PDB file of all heavy atoms in Angstrom:
ATOM      1  N   TYR A  40      -2.650  24.213  49.129  1.00 94.00           N
ATOM      2  CA  TYR A  40      -1.811  25.336  49.563  1.00 94.00           C
ATOM      3  C   TYR A  40      -2.644  26.512  50.061  1.00 94.00           C
ATOM      4  O   TYR A  40      -2.395  27.666  49.718  1.00 94.00           O
ATOM      5  CB  TYR A  40      -0.847  25.754  48.452  1.00 94.00           C
ATOM      6  CG  TYR A  40       0.183  24.683  48.160  1.00 94.00           C
ATOM      7  CD1 TYR A  40       0.084  23.909  47.008  1.00 94.00           C
ATOM      8  CD2 TYR A  40       1.217  24.414  49.053  1.00 94.00           C
ATOM      9  CE1 TYR A  40       1.013  22.903  46.744  1.00 94.00           C
ATOM     10  CE2 TYR A  40       2.147  23.418  48.789  1.00 94.00           C
ATOM     11  CZ  TYR A  40       2.037  22.663  47.642  1.00 94.00           C
ATOM     12  OH  TYR A  40       2.948  21.660  47.389  1.00 94.00           O
ATOM     13  N   ASN A  41      -3.677  26.178  50.830  1.00 92.00           N
ATOM     14  CA  ASN A  41      -4.556  27.148  51.489  1.00 92.00           C
ATOM     15  C   ASN A  41      -5.409  27.968  50.525  1.00 92.00           C
ATOM     16  O   ASN A  41      -5.969  28.997  50.916  1.00 92.00           O
ATOM     17  CB  ASN A  41      -3.749  28.093  52.388  1.00 92.00           C
ATOM     18  CG  ASN A  41      -3.058  27.355  53.526  1.00 92.00           C
ATOM     19  OD1 ASN A  41      -3.653  26.481  54.164  1.00 92.00           O
ATOM     20  ND2 ASN A  41      -1.804  27.691  53.787  1.00 92.00           N
ATOM     21  N   VAL A  42      -5.546  27.511  49.285  1.00 91.00           N
ATOM     22  CA  VAL A  42      -6.463  28.136  48.341  1.00 91.00           C
ATOM     23  C   VAL A  42      -7.800  27.414  48.455  1.00 91.00           C
ATOM     24  O   VAL A  42      -7.861  26.186  48.374  1.00 91.00           O
ATOM     25  CB  VAL A  42      -5.938  28.057  46.898  1.00 91.00           C
ATOM     26  CG1 VAL A  42      -6.963  28.617  45.915  1.00 91.00           C
ATOM     27  CG2 VAL A  42      -4.616  28.809  46.784  1.00 91.00           C
ATOM     28  N   SER A  43      -8.892  28.150  48.653  1.00 91.00           N
ATOM     29  CA  SER A  43     -10.190  27.529  48.895  1.00 91.00           C
ATOM     30  C   SER A  43     -10.581  26.617  47.739  1.00 91.00           C
ATOM     31  O   SER A  43     -10.367  26.926  46.571  1.00 91.00           O
ATOM     32  CB  SER A  43     -11.267  28.603  49.094  1.00 91.00           C
ATOM     33  OG  SER A  43     -11.408  29.381  47.915  1.00 91.00           O
ATOM     34  N   GLY A  44     -11.152  25.481  48.087  1.00 93.00           N
ATOM     35  CA  GLY A  44     -11.535  24.485  47.098  1.00 93.00           C
ATOM     36  C   GLY A  44     -10.984  23.120  47.474  1.00 93.00           C
ATOM     37  O   GLY A  44     -10.749  22.839  48.657  1.00 93.00           O
ATOM     38  N   TYR A  45     -10.742  22.287  46.487  1.00 95.00           N
ATOM     39  CA  TYR A  45     -10.289  20.920  46.749  1.00 95.00           C
ATOM     40  C   TYR A  45      -8.771  20.796  46.700  1.00 95.00           C
ATOM     41  O   TYR A  45      -8.054  21.705  46.281  1.00 95.00           O
ATOM     42  CB  TYR A  45     -10.944  19.962  45.756  1.00 95.00           C
ATOM     43  CG  TYR A  45     -12.387  19.694  46.090  1.00 95.00           C
ATOM     44  CD1 TYR A  45     -13.418  20.273  45.351  1.00 95.00           C
ATOM     45  CD2 TYR A  45     -12.732  18.885  47.167  1.00 95.00           C
ATOM     46  CE1 TYR A  45     -14.749  20.034  45.673  1.00 95.00           C
ATOM     47  CE2 TYR A  45     -14.062  18.645  47.500  1.00 95.00           C
ATOM     48  CZ  TYR A  45     -15.068  19.217  46.748  1.00 95.00           C
ATOM     49  OH  TYR A  45     -16.375  18.993  47.073  1.00 95.00           O
ATOM     50  N   GLY A  46      -8.292  19.630  47.134  1.00 96.00           N
ATOM     51  CA  GLY A  46      -6.873  19.366  47.225  1.00 96.00           C
ATOM     52  C   GLY A  46      -6.211  19.167  45.877  1.00 96.00           C
ATOM     53  O   GLY A  46      -6.836  19.288  44.822  1.00 96.00           O
ATOM     54  N   CYS A  47      -4.936  18.828  45.921  1.00 97.00           N
ATOM     55  CA  CYS A  47      -4.147  18.693  44.705  1.00 97.00           C
ATOM     56  C   CYS A  47      -2.991  17.728  44.959  1.00 97.00           C
ATOM     57  O   CYS A  47      -2.716  17.355  46.092  1.00 97.00           O
ATOM     58  CB  CYS A  47      -3.582  20.057  44.290  1.00 97.00           C
ATOM     59  SG  CYS A  47      -2.464  20.760  45.540  1.00 97.00           S
ATOM     60  N   VAL A  48      -2.326  17.347  43.901  1.00 98.00           N
ATOM     61  CA  VAL A  48      -1.049  16.651  44.022  1.00 98.00           C
ATOM     62  C   VAL A  48      -0.001  17.720  44.313  1.00 98.00           C
ATOM     63  O   VAL A  48       0.163  18.672  43.543  1.00 98.00           O
ATOM     64  CB  VAL A  48      -0.705  15.888  42.735  1.00 98.00           C
ATOM     65  CG1 VAL A  48       0.712  15.324  42.800  1.00 98.00           C
ATOM     66  CG2 VAL A  48      -1.713  14.761  42.509  1.00 98.00           C
ATOM     67  N   GLY A  49       0.691  17.589  45.447  1.00 97.00           N
ATOM     68  CA  GLY A  49       1.619  18.617  45.892  1.00 97.00           C
ATOM     69  C   GLY A  49       2.831  18.764  44.995  1.00 97.00           C
ATOM     70  O   GLY A  49       3.187  17.871  44.215  1.00 97.00           O
ATOM     71  N   LEU A  50       3.480  19.906  45.104  1.00 97.00           N
ATOM     72  CA  LEU A  50       4.656  20.197  44.284  1.00 97.00           C
ATOM     73  C   LEU A  50       5.758  19.151  44.479  1.00 97.00           C
ATOM     74  O   LEU A  50       6.424  18.754  43.518  1.00 97.00           O
ATOM     75  CB  LEU A  50       5.190  21.589  44.632  1.00 97.00           C
ATOM     76  CG  LEU A  50       4.292  22.771  44.244  1.00 97.00           C
ATOM     77  CD1 LEU A  50       4.807  24.057  44.883  1.00 97.00           C
ATOM     78  CD2 LEU A  50       4.220  22.923  42.731  1.00 97.00           C
ATOM     79  N   SER A  51       5.935  18.689  45.709  1.00 98.00           N
ATOM     80  CA  SER A  51       6.973  17.690  45.962  1.00 98.00           C
ATOM     81  C   SER A  51       6.627  16.356  45.301  1.00 98.00           C
ATOM     82  O   SER A  51       7.516  15.626  44.849  1.00 98.00           O
ATOM     83  CB  SER A  51       7.181  17.501  47.460  1.00 98.00           C
ATOM     84  OG  SER A  51       5.985  17.053  48.090  1.00 98.00           O
TER      85      SER A  51
END
Side-chain angles (χ1 to χ4, degrees):
Y40 293 106
N41 297 317
V42 176
S43 63
Y45 285 105
C47 62
V48 172
L50 292 169
S51 60

